[in-house]
């Protein structure tokens, strides 16, 4: 017998929890990437946070069995993919700039 329990709007399901964790990592990666571009340090933190957000967000999207509003966290998973990609780009730019690959010669 297949009985689906109704998921409330504010219920914290496992998919939503993982999406929230990845979103925190993605935002931390974006902030670290912005600070790394400004100060020259912290590119590794941005890259690690971005990679974690992309991996967890991709896992949430792949594991979701329903669309938005079903409690699987698919919307958060897509947000995580975007935040993680932004953190990876910022961290990559900061790492390249700190090694002299971007912006001309030192």
């Amino acid at each position: 017998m297949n009985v689906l329990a109704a998921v409330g709007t504010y219920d914290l399901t496992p998919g939503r929890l993982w999406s929230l964790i990845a979103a925190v990592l993605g935002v931390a990666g974006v902030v670290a990437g912005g600070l790394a571009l400004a100060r020259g340090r912290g590119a590794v933190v941005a890259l690690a946070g971005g990679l974690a957000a992309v991996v967890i967000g991709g896992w949430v999207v792949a594991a979701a069995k329903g669309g938005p509003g079903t409690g699987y966290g698919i919307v958060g998973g897509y947000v995580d993919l975007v935040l993680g990609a932004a953190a990876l780009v910022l961290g990559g730019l900061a790492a390249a700039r700190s090694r002299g690959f971007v912006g001309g010669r030192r």
Side-chain angles (χ1 to χ4, degrees), residues 1-103:
M1 177 177 236
N2 189 4
V3 177
L4 296 175
V7 176
T9 305
Y10 298 106
D11 291 343
L12 188 60
T13 61
R16 290 177 179 169
L17 178 64
W18 281 109
S19 291
L20 184 62
I21 291 169
V24 169
L25 291 172
V27 168
V30 169
V31 169
L35 290 174
L37 282 175
R39 296 183 182 169
R41 293 185 298 183
V44 174
V45 175
L47 289 171
L51 180 64
V54 166
V55 168
I56 295 172
W59 175 71
V60 168
V61 169
K65 296 178 184 171
T70 58
Y72 288 104
I74 194 164
V75 174
Y78 284 123
V79 170
D80 299 336
L81 290 173
V82 171
L83 284 173
L88 285 172
V89 167
L90 289 173
L93 285 174
R97 182 179 285 177
S98 71
R99 288 174 175 72
F101 293 123
V102 178

